[in-house]
Amino acid sequence: MDSNGGHQHPLRYSFAQAFGERDPDQGVVIQEADMISAVRFNERGDMIATGDRGGRIVLLRRVDQPKSTSKKTGRRKKALLRAAQNKKDEANKAAGGEGAVRAADPPEFRFWTQFQSHEPEFDYLKSMEIEEKINQIRWVRQVSGAHRLISSNDKTIKLWRISEREVKALASFSSDQLHGADGGSVGINGGARPMPSKLVGYGAKRLVIPELETAGSMVSATPRRTFSNAHAYHINSISMNSDDEVFLSADDLRVNLWNLNAGGVGFNILDIKPDNMEDLTEVITSAEFHPQHCNLFIHSSSRGVVKLVDLRQSALCEGWAREFEEPEDLGSGQSFFSEIIASISDIKFSPDGRYILTRDYMTLRLWDVNMERAPVVVIPVHEHLRARLSDLYENDCIFDKFQCDFSHDGGSIVTGSYNALFQTYSSANGAATALEASVDFVSGTSGRRHMSAEALAANLIAGASAQELVDPTRRVTQVHSSPKSHIAAVATGPALYVYYA
């Protein structure tokens, strides 16, 4: 492992499952409302939530995990199991060569439930239609065994409670099955049991005793609170605090702080709106809380700047504790597209909170929280498209926003691209692997299956036609990694692909 916590080689993901994949060549019409717009694992990694442009949220639950037992494993037994596993890993590595890694079993997720989170609305004051598209999903700590999550569209955030309960059905409701008013036995559904002594002499023949049986389970989603009327511009980020009680929401000019137990009342902690809008030079593009310190959060801007803010300094954050901005390369020169491609579309803290990952249109940058002068790793993602920026501007592709994420140990980075390209990079040196999130690729019928990462990226990106670049069903903008294991969820149009390593 490298000094910055990353692996020298990125994870090599393998295909596990696909949900909602459709083949347009077979005449299947893909509706815009079915396009996935948000993907999120829960903290335990056993649930996946997806949101689409139709305002729906679909939950997938992992079913292949062994059930936890109440017995605790002693330290000696843990040491023996760990030694046995290490011995097995060494044997597999020796048998498969130096780079061989023990193959994990593929995870299995199944559909659990679906519900309508947001409906289309109309803002009569601004004469503007508010879409039902789900922009963000974040899981919240469970309460009383029920799952909770917050979801948002452009203006409104909702807290949902999702619970599962058994459904009881009437199995028998007939007095003809009752026998023995003199203290004999009472038979129900063919069985017999002694008549309770208290019923003897009280006309037990006239008793009608219903019998219930379990008829399956039912999952219900209930809205608990609504957080609205606090954003004049479109919400681009929501993030849960490490205390699991408050969360932030950000739009182009403001960041608000909310309490889960006090819906409808938000507190503004950051406002960059100038007195004269003509003086506006940047907007907020993303914001996220620190995974461990509840007083720290970061926000990025359209100028490619990331600022770390400490809530202890001031109630209204007019300054910042640290600022991360890569110095301009005077030799490269500025172009008409420089400001557009510098806009950061997503930011993430590493699991330990030591590093900050940013994604703009062209590159991934990894920053050390303690070093502001320059990023520790710069990864070119769309270098193949630099010569085509003019065409990308004409068809609006240059404004696409791609997400990024760390693997659960922080050693690898995942992100998406055009033409169903899903890429994994080492956070130590930027070494890459790539996959194509498509039915042809995972089934083995595609001729690109055996290409190297560089060749696959060149084939799918540099060799892509303008029609392929603008195709929303082949665009990988939503990716997320499980916080507990090497599993990644990748959305391509209306389809969700699950990979494991």
Side-chain angles (χ1 to χ4, degrees), residues 97-167:
E98 185 65 25
V101 178
R102 181 177 60 90
D105 295 327
E108 182 182 358
F109 288 85
R110 291 180 185 173
F111 173 83
W112 191 43
T113 189
Q114 172 183 313
F115 60 94
Q116 187 74 29
S117 175
H118 287 74
E119 300 282 355
E121 304 175 26
F122 190 82
D123 189 339
Y124 293 96
L125 293 177
K126 297 183 178 180
S127 298
M128 181 178 63
E129 185 177 351
I130 302 174
E131 294 182 348
E132 65 271 31
K133 183 189 76 168
I134 304 297
N135 289 339
Q136 297 285 326
I137 297 175
R138 292 295 182 273
W139 290 88
V140 186
R141 181 183 56 189
Q142 287 185 245
V143 173
S144 301
H147 295 277
R148 297 190 302 167
L149 59 82
I150 50 177
S151 60
S152 76
N153 63 354
D154 288 338
K155 298 291 185 179
T156 306
I157 305 170
K158 294 182 180 181
L159 171 64
W160 291 89
R161 183 182 189 271
I162 305 99
S163 58
E164 183 176 17
R165 61 182 178 87
E166 291 185 347
V167 178

Side-chain angles (χ1 to χ4, degrees), residues 57-320:
I57 292 181
V58 176
L59 302 183
L60 307 174
R61 181 168 62 177
R62 189 171 181 181
V63 297
D64 65 310
Q65 294 187 125
K67 294 182 179 180
S68 59
T69 61
S70 58
K71 296 181 179 180
K72 294 184 179 180
T73 304
R75 287 181 295 176
R76 178 174 174 78
K77 187 175 181 180
K78 286 182 179 179
L80 291 175
L81 291 173
R82 192 160 50 244
Q85 187 61 61
N86 291 338
K87 187 174 181 181
K88 186 186 293 185
D89 292 345
E90 291 176 0
N92 291 335
K93 189 173 182 179
E98 185 65 25
V101 178
R102 181 177 60 90
D105 295 327
E108 182 182 358
F109 288 85
R110 291 180 185 173
F111 173 83
W112 191 43
T113 189
Q114 172 183 313
F115 60 94
Q116 187 74 29
S117 175
H118 287 74
E119 300 282 355
E121 304 175 26
F122 190 82
D123 189 339
Y124 293 96
L125 293 177
K126 297 183 178 180
S127 298
M128 181 178 63
E129 185 177 351
I130 302 174
E131 294 182 348
E132 65 271 31
K133 183 189 76 168
I134 304 297
N135 289 339
Q136 297 285 326
I137 297 175
R138 292 295 182 273
W139 290 88
V140 186
R141 181 183 56 189
Q142 287 185 245
V143 173
S144 301
H147 295 277
R148 297 190 302 167
L149 59 82
I150 50 177
S151 60
S152 76
N153 63 354
D154 288 338
K155 298 291 185 179
T156 306
I157 305 170
K158 294 182 180 181
L159 171 64
W160 291 89
R161 183 182 189 271
I162 305 99
S163 58
E164 183 176 17
R165 61 182 178 87
E166 291 185 347
V167 178
K168 299 290 186 179
L170 189 64
S172 173
F173 198 79
S174 175
S175 61
D176 297 336
Q177 296 176 345
L178 298 172
H179 305 286
D182 55 351
S185 62
V186 179
I188 299 179
N189 287 348
R193 63 175 183 265
M195 169 67 69
S197 59
K198 292 183 179 180
L199 296 181
V200 179
Y202 287 89
K205 238 177 182 179
R206 295 191 299 273
L207 287 177
V208 180
I209 302 178
E211 185 174 287
L212 301 178
E213 65 179 5
T214 302
S217 60
M218 181 179 69
V219 181
S220 60
T222 308
R224 304 299 294 177
R225 285 179 179 81
T226 300
F227 309 89
S228 59
N229 303 323
H231 288 281
Y233 304 93
H234 291 178
I235 298 173
N236 55 48
S237 302
I238 55 177
S239 178
M240 282 300 303
N241 194 287
S242 58
D243 63 6
D244 286 321
E245 291 187 2
V246 301
F247 69 93
L248 64 78
S249 60
D251 62 21
D252 291 345
L253 298 179
R254 293 184 178 91
V255 177
N256 294 327
L257 194 66
W258 307 84
N259 191 303
L260 286 173
N261 300 318
V265 180
F267 182 74
N268 179 241
I269 57 175
L270 179 63
D271 191 344
I272 66 170
K273 183 179 180 180
D275 295 333
N276 185 359
M277 288 296 289
E278 294 181 357
D279 298 332
L280 184 67
T281 59
E282 62 180 348
V283 296
I284 300 170
T285 58
S286 186
E288 179 167 324
F289 268 119
H290 193 279
Q292 298 171 1
H293 301 293
C294 61
N295 57 290
L296 298 177
F297 77 93
I298 52 175
H299 64 90
S300 60
S301 75
S302 56
R303 292 195 301 112
V305 181
V306 178
K307 296 179 180 179
L308 176 69
V309 180
D310 192 340
L311 294 172
R312 297 173 298 183
Q313 294 180 347
S314 174
L316 184 61
C317 305
E318 299 178 349
W320 55 87

Side-chain angles (χ1 to χ4, degrees), residues 389-402:
L389 291 178
S390 178
D391 296 334
L392 295 169
Y393 178 78
E394 290 181 1
N395 55 33
D396 290 338
C397 285
I398 200 171
F399 301 103
D400 290 336
K401 299 182 182 300
F402 295 91

